[in-house]
Amino acid sequence: MTTTAQDVITAKLERSFDAFDANHDGYLDWTDYQNLADRYIQAYKLGKDDRRARALHAFYQTFWLELLRHAGVSADRLTKDQFVTANRLASVDTSRLNLADGAGHVIFDVIDIDEDNGISRDEFARFLRDVWKSGAPDAMDAFTKLDIDGDGEISRMEFVRAVREYFLSDNPDAPGSLFFGHV
């Protein structure tokens, strides 16, 4: 049986839903996204007035509102099916928010601690450890996948490309999965 691109993207989004649903109630609401932004902020010890912290909150709030708009729901929460449908629509509708590029740049700015426009192995390891609480031995293999040109760091464009692939690629192991809750 052949898996279609639609099925692969759906599976990736369903795993993201499960990772974001912090209280495991079967719904996502704004607090789940706020908690995600706060995980980054706490892990990187960003002050509430730090531009990166403000950008994370602004991005996730806009993202959340776009999901609600695309889901066409009256409630301020989404089921897994609504989340998948809304993400698919928001990923291709860049009229208000380019989801993949926006997420890529905002998250990159936080992970790139020394602001040298590249993510080192140490910065990436910290991201996995402190944000996603991943100590999986093979988690750092993703660094090699993301470092396409093999120069020992993940450039901004390599990072943004991985996030785009997560939302749009039929590759079930797209490295962008690391940024959306499953390693």
Side-chain angles (χ1 to χ4, degrees), residues 38-152:
D38 288 344
R39 263 196 345 235
Y40 280 95
I41 291 165
Q42 290 167 5
Y44 287 91
K45 297 175 179 43
L46 304 176
K48 69 177 187 165
D49 292 329
D50 186 295
R51 67 170 172 76
R52 296 166 298 172
R54 292 190 327 257
L56 276 167
H57 276 288
F59 171 78
Y60 280 119
Q61 187 168 33
T62 302
F63 180 24
W64 174 245
L65 293 172
E66 283 300 288
L67 290 178
L68 291 177
R69 179 174 75 91
H70 285 291
V73 297
S74 58
D76 282 339
R77 66 185 197 168
L78 298 174
T79 65
K80 187 181 286 189
D81 288 341
Q82 291 167 334
F83 172 81
V84 168
T85 299
N87 262 280
R88 290 178 159 287
L89 294 171
S91 296
V92 295
D93 175 8
T94 59
S95 64
R96 295 186 189 180
L97 172 69
N98 185 323
L99 175 61
D101 287 355
H105 288 290
V106 168
I107 295 169
F108 183 93
D109 287 343
V110 172
I111 299 171
D112 181 21
I113 298 166
D114 60 10
E115 298 180 356
D116 66 351
N117 218 26
I119 297 172
S120 68
R121 289 186 77 76
D122 288 343
E123 288 170 327
F124 192 74
R126 179 179 180 187
F127 161 71
L128 293 175
R129 181 187 65 244
D130 294 351
V131 175
W132 292 112
K133 310 297 184 212
S134 176
D138 60 347
M140 281 303 290
D141 292 346
F143 182 89
T144 304
K145 289 180 186 176
L146 292 169
D147 181 18
I148 296 167
D149 62 10
D151 67 353

